[in-house]
Amino acid sequence: MNMVTIVGIAVLAAAFSVVLKQKNPEYALALSLAAGVLMLGMIIAEARPLFDRMHSLLDASGTKAAYVQILFKSLGLCFITQIACDACRDLGETAIATKVEAAGKIAVLLVSLPLFEEILRIAGQLIG
């Protein structure tokens, strides 16, 4: 991963955002969001081999594909939630950010529900 590029984008976007915030706050927000999306895209593109490797390791361990999907969906939900919360906090909307965090946690629990059901089923078989 080219951290220098990501750090450079972050520093430039932050500097321009501070300058723009004084005259056009709406453009500062747009710049901040665009920089965040650009950096996230770069991170995801660079992390693709990591996800592929994790997938192959989990396949080699005999883990069901559904469990791997739950892992990746949960990870994606966490990233999306964090980005939305940071954007809300940047705008000074901490109450909305808190609600988004709660929604993200519930979404992760909902996605993970089949995994919890399977764990409970296995525990019931071990006990019974």
Side-chain angles (χ1 to χ4, degrees), residues 47-70:
R48 182 74 181 162
L50 172 68
F51 293 136
D52 292 340
R53 180 70 176 149
M54 286 176 54
H55 196 292
S56 66
L57 287 172
L58 290 170
D59 282 345
S61 71
T63 306
K64 292 183 182 177
Y67 301 151
V68 176
Q69 289 176 346
I70 289 170

Side-chain angles (χ1 to χ4, degrees), residues 7-59:
V7 169
I9 291 170
V11 170
L12 286 174
F16 285 132
S17 181
V18 168
V19 171
L20 283 174
K21 197 176 284 187
Q22 296 171 355
K23 296 188 182 202
N24 294 323
E26 61 275 359
Y27 291 132
L29 173 64
L31 174 67
S32 176
L33 288 175
V37 168
L38 176 65
M39 288 185 294
L40 183 63
M42 292 172 65
I43 292 167
I44 290 172
E46 292 291 327
R48 182 74 181 162
L50 172 68
F51 293 136
D52 292 340
R53 180 70 176 149
M54 286 176 54
H55 196 292
S56 66
L57 287 172
L58 290 170
D59 282 345

Side-chain angles (χ1 to χ4, degrees), residues 85-97:
C85 289
D86 289 344
C88 290
R89 285 193 183 97
D90 286 346
L91 292 170
E93 298 292 339
T94 55
I96 294 174

